[in-house]
Amino acid sequence: MNTNSGRWSLACRLVLWLGLLSGGALPAATPPAAPDLLATFRAPGGPMAGVDELVFALRKPNETDGHWYTNIGYYAHDPERKAWREGGRLVRWHLGTGRTTTLLDDPRGGVRDPQLHYDGKKILFSYRRGGTEAYHLYEIALDGTGLRQLTDGPYDDIEPTYLPDGGIVFVSTRCKRWVNCWLTQVAVLHRCDADGGNVRALSSNNEQDNTPWPMPDGRLLYTRWEYVDRSQVDYHHLWAANPDGTAQTVWYGNLHPGIVMIDAKPVPGTDRVVAVFSPGHGRRDHAGHLALVDVRGGPDARESAHQFTKGAPDFRDPWAFSADCFLAAVGASVVAIDGHGRQQTIYRLTPAEAKEGWQIHEPRPLTSRARERVIPDRTRPAETTGRLILADIYDGRNMAGVKPGEIKKLLVLETLPMPIHYTGGMEPISYGGTFTLERIVGTVPVEADGSAYLELPALRSFFFVALDGQDLAVKRMQSFLTVQPGEVTSCLGCHEQRTKTPSASYAMLATARPASRIEPIAGVPDVIDFPRDIQPVLDALCIDCHGYERTAAGGPRAGRLLLTGDRGPMYSHSYYMLTIAHLFSDGRNKATSNYAPRSLGSSASRLLKLVDGSHYGVKATPAQHRLLRLWIDSGAAYPGTYAALGSGMIGAYAENQPVDTDHDWPATRAAGDAIARRCAACHSEKERALPRALADERGVSFWRPDMHDPRLLTSRHIVFNLSRPEKSLILLAPLAESAGGWGLCRDPKTKQPASVFADTSDADYQKLLALCVAGRDHLARVKRFDMPGFQPRRDWVREMVRYGVLPAGSEHATYPLDPYAVERRYWQSLWYAP
């Protein structure tokens, strides 16, 4: 029996006795006493008049992971570790009598996301049967009979909602991709028929789509998480689309970082929605504050959102009856809330249930409701492409200084899904920059009036860079767009102003001809790999001056900027140095959008100016310049394959914690002792401290480093050379010039040259060298992606087998795999086909 401490009214006791006499279920919690919020809401004429029962799910949260999306599937490095806990129930509760009825109880299963049909006679929900791995869509009658499975397969189907056209929309891991900054799987928008058949994807997102729900106008409102060359933890806002996936567009918040806007529901009789605003990068199971959002002022108006709950941000799964009447789940309780944030607990689990970890989710009223407007399907499933019309690229936000006719082309880029992820960060995809590989698809022309008309492959994630007559970036898109098969869609301009009425004077010269096919760029890989493609250009143009040897004239190394391909513990020295020297502009991992023209990409990157002939006569060939430019404009990644993740590194990360470190190596202990004795006198301050291990970050952020931090100049990524250990800066800097060193050390008092190591026979010099040699030998065993004999991790192979890209049994194969070719097959397997 569910009980609750406190004083019960006589009416409550009568209800209890009547329940016992009738053999019915017992009251679950103290029914509210009048006058109270619930009584006011349920009074005749009130917003909850006629609402007698609720349905909700009970389940237990993931105790080891606080991300809002980690409640399905397994973890990349350990399929036996699940993101869910066992135990699920579907429960009805009568508001008047307090009677509870368990419709479904599976001690080893999982129950979530109940949603009542329009006619009020059946419940749609997600259910993972005990002993199975995946959630699927089910329906059940209000009395718990007629349980019917709608979808099946090896992937999770969750967060379903009925559509007014008779279909169902939900999110699913059928997209076969993993979170780009975590160890769990992605689920994106899908839809199916009422019987679960004809499942099809509506989204190409690399990251999560969540909690779709129909709005009165027939469109879907949902949460879209994305980061196209901007922060991975700051952009998860409200988007809208038609139920067929067409016309995907921001609904609210995409310029306002730092909050997860989720579980949005329309407020009846208004133009507003209620949503959970989960702070920062979100809280477990969507918990946060409740906010009302009215977008009549546009999708970017901060004043359009009003948070109305108080206290801890622990509210989940809101339901709106009016702008002054809401229900939500809070831990083990259901609360009623008014528009001023006043709240009352109306149902609470027993202390025993709460102690066992049960929580209430998705409280929904058991009432019929009107169907929303039906929007006819605008797709043509037999087609493999859609079309986009750009009215005037110059008509947009933050375009000051861009002259008419200046933009000649659009560079079309594609964000590529990640087949698996291990670390929690972006290493080694970049150092503090992109998490995502980007494919260079090609270019399309922009007409003299700023219009463009182009054909795009369906259900893939594209974004554009506006190029000038020299093919340099003028303006860069930091979101992606998708077209459905046969869709024709449009935008007004570059970062269009969505509160502005379109001009009737757009001539759109581009529409006077057929849609442009994307023109591939000859002579450039579509996915650029830095060691394979960019390092040879640096070798040809730069390392005569920017190597470890003196210049040809015998002078000091040029700027001490090392651009050789020697390996550090995680990156090559050239990649790391180009990054911390700010020689390319890539958007970084920042909570910033809508940059001014020529602030991002090739136009803003000093590297291209250093190879135009003005810097000591160094001039790139057209092919070299094109390769450097497109590498920068495609995100400036280090590897060209996701197989590089979590492999071939010393001091990598897993779940944001350092792994594969060298801290317990004998060579590391000996070298650390030598550094402490010989170097600490000058390098005692935090800003000047030297790393004492190959994995020693010295407190520098591994995923969002401050690019002006002076510690970057003496980072482990540059002072240790694991290709040529004797060329390590930690050896060359303190070694006397007469012994072949650089003699950079100075006496802290006199500031005069002070050779720490007079020659290479010094015992401490040999200890430092031994550490670098040990690092080189370790890399030779574990192998980085650009080393001969590299093999992807077994987890990567396992997922490729699961996706059908590699044959069964490949996890145990000893033959070499080409990760570049396998990933290309993986990406192509996701392309839409009728």
Side-chain angles (χ1 to χ4, degrees), residues 115-167:
Q115 144 80 302
L116 201 69
H117 191 268
Y118 294 101
D119 63 14
K121 295 180 180 179
K122 58 184 176 181
I123 300 168
L124 172 68
F125 65 106
S126 300
Y127 174 33
R128 183 187 54 77
R129 285 185 179 270
T132 68
E133 296 286 311
Y135 280 92
H136 295 301
L137 305 189
Y138 284 76
E139 286 181 327
I140 196 170
L142 299 191
D143 62 0
T145 63
L147 179 66
R148 182 168 73 115
Q149 183 173 348
L150 303 181
T151 61
D152 59 13
Y155 299 101
D156 288 287
D157 302 326
I158 61 171
E159 299 178 351
T161 185
Y162 288 112
L163 293 174
D165 62 12

Side-chain angles (χ1 to χ4, degrees), residues 249-533:
T249 187
V250 62
W251 195 80
Y252 182 75
N254 198 40
L255 284 184
H256 304 316
I259 200 159
V260 176
M261 301 176 184
I262 202 163
D263 281 304
K265 307 287 186 297
V267 177
T270 75
D271 293 315
R272 290 177 282 183
V273 304
V274 63
V276 172
F277 276 31
S278 193
H281 189 39
R283 289 164 60 91
R284 180 184 288 117
D285 286 323
H286 306 184
H289 278 293
L290 302 189
L292 283 170
V293 184
D294 184 346
V295 294
R296 287 177 294 178
D300 305 319
R302 289 185 180 272
E303 61 273 16
S304 294
H306 167 64
Q307 175 188 308
F308 63 90
T309 53
K310 303 174 178 65
D314 292 331
F315 301 89
R316 299 189 310 272
D317 311 314
W319 186 273
F321 295 94
S322 73
D324 196 43
C325 175
F326 308 91
L327 296 181
V330 178
S333 303
V334 178
V335 297
I337 310 167
D338 69 11
H340 299 285
R342 293 174 295 201
Q343 58 184 283
Q344 174 192 10
T345 298
I346 64 174
Y347 179 88
R348 182 182 289 115
L349 297 178
T350 67
E353 289 172 320
K355 186 176 181 179
E356 290 174 4
W358 291 100
Q359 291 189 349
I360 296 173
H361 293 264
E362 301 100 20
R364 309 282 189 244
L366 286 179
T367 58
S368 61
R369 56 194 176 93
R371 291 178 185 262
E372 299 83 8
R373 175 186 170 221
V374 174
I375 299 177
D377 194 321
R378 300 176 181 177
T379 65
R380 297 176 180 174
E383 298 185 15
T384 60
T385 63
R387 287 166 287 166
L388 172 68
I389 301 169
L390 168 63
D392 182 359
I393 200 166
Y394 304 103
D395 189 358
R397 294 174 295 190
N398 208 0
M399 293 292 288
V402 182
K403 300 176 182 178
E406 185 175 349
I407 296 172
K408 307 297 184 183
K409 300 175 186 174
L410 292 178
L411 174 64
V412 182
L413 300 170
E414 179 181 6
T415 64
L416 295 172
M418 187 177 285
I420 191 169
H421 193 84
Y422 316 101
T423 73
M426 80 289 285
E427 73 289 342
I429 302 301
S430 73
Y431 183 66
T434 185
F435 284 71
T436 309
L437 299 181
E438 298 168 3
R439 173 185 283 123
I440 301 162
V441 186
T443 62
V444 293
V446 174
E447 303 298 332
D449 65 348
S451 65
Y453 182 30
L454 58 150
E455 186 175 44
L456 293 168
L459 280 168
R460 287 160 62 183
S461 298
F462 298 105
F463 66 105
F464 308 122
V465 181
L467 303 179
D468 64 16
Q470 285 71 50
D471 288 338
L472 297 176
V474 178
K475 190 77 170 177
R476 184 181 185 86
M477 189 174 170
Q478 289 188 286
S479 187
F480 73 88
L481 67 82
T482 296
V483 293
Q484 299 295 317
E487 178 182 5
V488 179
T489 189
S490 64
C491 56
L492 298 182
C494 195
H495 297 261
E496 66 186 37
Q497 303 176 66
R498 297 180 185 274
T499 56
K500 179 180 177 181
T501 302
S503 170
S505 62
Y506 290 127
M508 290 188 290
L509 295 175
T511 59
R513 54 167 173 75
S516 298
R517 297 273 182 101
I518 301 171
E519 181 67 29
I521 300 174
V524 175
D526 59 351
V527 181
I528 294 178
D529 183 277
F530 184 92
R532 182 192 66 197
D533 303 318

Side-chain angles (χ1 to χ4, degrees), residues 214-278:
M215 293 190 288
D217 65 7
R219 292 183 298 161
L220 294 172
L221 184 64
Y222 64 101
T223 299
R224 175 163 127 174
W225 175 22
E226 61 172 26
Y227 42 97
V228 179
D229 298 330
R230 55 181 182 170
S231 169
Q232 93 283 11
V233 296
D234 286 297
Y235 293 93
H236 5 57
H237 300 107
L238 297 179
W239 285 68
N242 293 333
D244 61 0
T246 60
Q248 294 182 18
T249 187
V250 62
W251 195 80
Y252 182 75
N254 198 40
L255 284 184
H256 304 316
I259 200 159
V260 176
M261 301 176 184
I262 202 163
D263 281 304
K265 307 287 186 297
V267 177
T270 75
D271 293 315
R272 290 177 282 183
V273 304
V274 63
V276 172
F277 276 31
S278 193

Side-chain angles (χ1 to χ4, degrees), residues 647-659:
S647 60
M649 295 179 285
I650 301 172
Y653 291 85
E655 293 191 68
N656 294 339
Q657 299 300 316
V659 295

Side-chain angles (χ1 to χ4, degrees), residues 732-744:
L732 291 175
L735 181 63
E737 289 190 76
S738 59
W742 289 5
L744 296 181

Side-chain angles (χ1 to χ4, degrees), residues 88 91 95 158 207 244 275 336 347 407 409 427 433 494 529 554 595 608 620 631 639 645 715 724 739 770 806 811:
V91 179
L95 280 69
I158 61 171
E207 296 297 347
D244 61 0
Y347 179 88
I407 296 172
K409 300 175 186 174
E427 73 289 342
C494 195
D529 183 277
Y595 287 76
L608 295 183
W631 171 68
L645 286 161
S715 166
R724 296 180 288 170
L806 287 175
E811 305 97 319

